[in-house]
Amino acid sequence: MPTTPQTQVISQPLTLPCGKRLPNRLVKAPMEELLADFGGGLPNRLHHNLYNAWAKGGWGMIITGNVAIDDTHLGTPFDVVLPKPPYLEDLLESFRAYADSVTGRSCGVQESNRPLAVVQLVHAGRQSMRGSGRSVWQPAKAPSSVPMRPSDNLGIVGRALDHFMWGTPKEMDLSDIQEVKLRYAQASRLCYLAGFDGVELHASHGYLLAAFLSPKTNLRTDRYGGSNENRARLLLEIVQEVRNVVPPTFALGVKLNSCDYVSGGLTEEDALLNVKWLAETGGVDFIEISGGNYENPSFIMDDFDSEAEKVKLGGGEKKKEDQQGAKGEHVNPVSSRTRKREAFFQSFAKRCRSVVPERRSEEGEQGGGGGIKLILTGGLRTRNGISGVISSGDVDAAALARPAALYPDLASRLTDPTIPDGDPRADTPAYKVPAIGGLSAVPLKLVGAGWGT
Ligand SMILES: Cc1cc2nc3c(=O)[nH]c(=O)nc-3n(C[C@H](O)[C@H](O)[C@H](O)COP(=O)(O)O)c2cc1C
């Protein structure tokens, strides 16, 4: 079979510490499908059709959109949601059918070359809007009572809007925390029994576990707050609880923020400690790196520039070459960065290698030497860019979200050796998401900047 240098990099299989194998380095990133019944429901025929398309699309791993482990804390009103345990047989049946669609078993994808099927599990915490699974008067549960402020840029109007939409969350007590741990473990066991290959704990983008990790939203003074160790305790305990109820061959991943990109939030230094501690558990197979939250949704902002954001927060120095063109003229720093590199969070991934060294197998296969794997998400679009981040050794695999939504078979094209490297047919075609009415101009980051979502 002929090959090209870049497809060779992307098409390498990757074996996780649990022994499960991705047939290549491309991951379909988690995306809420918004296809369940209003108020949250189980996976249905629409999910099956969608995941069959991805299963046939050549991906090495498919991570589902987030599945809520608590039906009183939805992320959106159309999410897949698990009812309160105990889980009954019809729920297991529903998840079996879901697993069959994600693995491609229900649409004839070859077992030897099928994608790994991983369910993302979430508790939305303070980012669960009023009325999302509970009455509009019932506050969301969170590590501390820190109100949501995604519309702060609109002054007093924004405050009123935020109060109307989110309200102030209620601080969780220790029995709430116990309950969350139990729910994550029960949900993971269900996914295992249903035939999925693994689960991913959503600990980024400001949801409950990310809110515990962030010094801005975790003001607790008990053993779950106050220091980096204490803020990471809940996540690490959940890893342990999950591992206790699934076999070692079941994959466990964590989606983690590199930085919150909000003043007083989680910094890269904090995040590096989290990566280190997760690796030390010996029970985590991969970390998916992302960043931001609803107050700064960097993970879905086109042209996001992590270095420029750090400068805004006063925590980094923007390189001179990004501010000045060759002749000293001013250059838009964002477009300058975009031309050079498409991965939003690669500089953090590089730093992770100091705590999670790159491993190679004896045959020299990159990422083949065991140990926790790093997956980079955000902004990746081209074969050149993707093979570049993998061959740099900074990460082991690349995850794509919006391109995968538009082109479910994109992975097949990215790995197709009959399309030469550099040929635009191997990349995500340029796309523009049409605005509906004037919504894309709404001056709220969540609505305006994330319009492409
Ligand atoms: C429609 C949509 C839904 C998303 N839902 C989730 C989700 O359920 N869980 C999650 O971790 N990230 C979610 N994300 C974020 C993506 O996983 C990813 O981090 C982000 O889109 C950046 O990757 P991209 O530039 O390849 O789109 C979503 C993104 C989009 C566009």
Side-chain angles (χ1 to χ4, degrees):
M1 181 75 154
T3 182
T4 72
Q6 290 175 1
T7 54
Q8 202 169 5
V9 171
I10 301 175
S11 303
Q12 299 171 89
L14 179 68
T15 306
L16 302 178
C18 68
K20 291 255 157 69
R21 175 183 164 278
L22 287 75
N24 62 52
R25 304 297 174 104
L26 296 173
V27 177
K28 196 291 285 174
M31 279 180 281
E32 284 174 292
E33 308 84 6
L34 308 184
L35 295 175
D37 291 342
F38 182 73
L42 295 180
N44 58 39
R45 192 179 43 79
L46 299 173
H47 292 91
H48 300 161
N49 293 343
L50 176 61
Y51 281 94
N52 275 173
W54 276 319
K56 289 189 278 193
W59 301 92
M61 175 155 83
I62 294 177
I63 308 179
T64 68
N66 57 205
V67 169
I69 57 149
D70 181 338
D71 56 0
T72 66
H73 281 75
L74 310 189
T76 82
F78 298 96
D79 282 350
V80 175
V81 173
L82 291 170
K84 197 171 165 51
Y87 302 138
L88 303 175
E89 185 59 25
D90 58 343
L91 179 69
L92 188 55
E93 273 312 308
S94 165
F95 266 68
R96 279 197 186 114
Y98 195 20
D100 285 346
S101 69
V102 185
T103 53
R105 287 187 189 116
S106 58
C107 62
V109 175
Q110 256 187 359
E111 186 64 25
S112 59
N113 217 30
R114 71 166 177 83
L116 292 190
V118 172
V119 177
Q120 189 187 57
L121 299 175
V122 74
H123 185 299
R126 66 197 283 272
Q127 292 189 169
S128 175
M129 253 184 235
R130 275 186 197 274
S132 301
R134 51 187 199 284
S135 94
V136 290
W137 310 115
Q138 206 181 346
K141 290 183 183 171
S144 306
S145 291
V146 179
M148 285 284 288
R149 292 272 181 260
S151 323
D152 231 15
N153 57 323
L154 297 185
I156 194 158
V157 176
R159 292 262 161 139
L161 187 65
D162 287 341
H163 179 72
F164 176 73
M165 295 199 25
W166 317 91
T168 301
K170 178 176 176 290
E171 177 171 317
M172 292 167 74
D173 60 25
L174 291 181
S175 72
D176 293 324
I177 290 179
Q178 273 307 113
E179 175 76 15
V180 165
K181 288 190 326 195
L182 190 64
R183 294 275 186 110
Y184 267 106
Q186 287 168 322
S188 303
R189 173 98 189 140
L190 170 82
C191 294
Y192 161 66
L193 292 175
F196 280 99
D197 296 296
V199 291
E200 180 186 64
L201 312 175
H202 196 345
S204 63
H205 303 171
Y207 295 111
L208 184 75
L209 299 181
F212 265 89
L213 294 174
S214 166
K216 182 172 182 179
T217 48
N218 182 345
L219 310 179
R220 301 178 73 92
T221 52
D222 62 5
R223 57 199 296 271
Y224 292 98
S227 64
N228 277 304
E229 283 90 343
N230 285 354
R231 286 192 289 271
R233 189 180 304 282
L234 176 59
L235 175 61
L236 297 174
E237 286 181 352
I238 291 173
V239 165
Q240 194 54 57
E241 296 275 336
V242 172
R243 273 286 164 225
N244 288 344
V245 295
V246 296
T249 50
F250 188 70
L252 175 56
V254 177
K255 186 158 181 169
L256 213 56
N257 264 12
S258 51
C259 185
D260 287 347
Y261 302 106
V262 294
S263 175
L266 179 110
T267 63
E268 285 195 1
E269 281 61 40
D270 300 325
L272 278 175
L273 286 173
N274 297 333
V275 171
K276 175 172 176 284
W277 290 326
L278 284 169
E280 283 170 0
T281 64
V284 177
D285 290 278
F286 65 87
I287 294 175
E288 184 197 346
I289 298 169
S290 189
N293 57 33
Y294 280 14
E295 283 154 9
N296 189 0
S298 26
F299 56 99
I300 45 160
M301 283 159 67
D302 284 320
D303 293 345
F304 177 73
D305 181 349
S306 61
E307 299 308 310
E309 288 289 318
K310 279 191 283 178
V311 173
K312 272 195 232 159
L313 292 174
E317 208 180 299
K318 189 90 184 104
K319 282 194 199 129
K320 230 177 171 173
E321 74 210 43
D322 275 1
Q323 292 160 340
Q324 291 190 331
K327 293 180 187 149
E329 79 275 23
H330 181 79
V331 174
N332 176 337
V334 169
S335 57
S336 153
R337 180 210 70 94
T338 308
R339 278 198 302 275
K340 283 190 294 197
R341 173 159 54 81
E342 54 188 66
F344 294 166
F345 308 110
Q346 190 181 355
S347 65
F348 174 74
K350 193 184 274 303
R351 295 187 70 189
C352 287
R353 284 304 189 198
S354 63
V355 288
V356 184
E358 189 204 346
R359 309 266 190 112
R360 282 178 188 261
S361 67
E362 278 171 15
E363 300 77 47
E365 186 197 275
Q366 194 191 335
I372 197 166
K373 307 300 175 211
L374 295 178
I375 301 176
L376 189 61
T377 304
L380 292 159
R381 298 292 179 265
T382 63
R383 183 191 276 177
N384 183 39
I386 294 165
S387 65
V389 294
I390 297 168
S391 55
S392 72
D394 293 345
V395 292
D396 301 293
L400 285 77
R402 287 163 289 184
L406 287 162
Y407 307 101
D409 65 346
L410 181 62
S412 301
R413 256 184 292 144
L414 286 164
T415 50
D416 182 349
T418 65
I419 304 177
D421 291 345
D423 186 320
R425 284 176 300 155
D427 301 336
T428 306
Y431 64 86
K432 196 167 161 43
V433 181
I436 298 175
L439 263 183
S440 65
V442 172
L444 292 176
K445 278 191 170 181
L446 253 186
V447 180
W451 180 246
T453 307

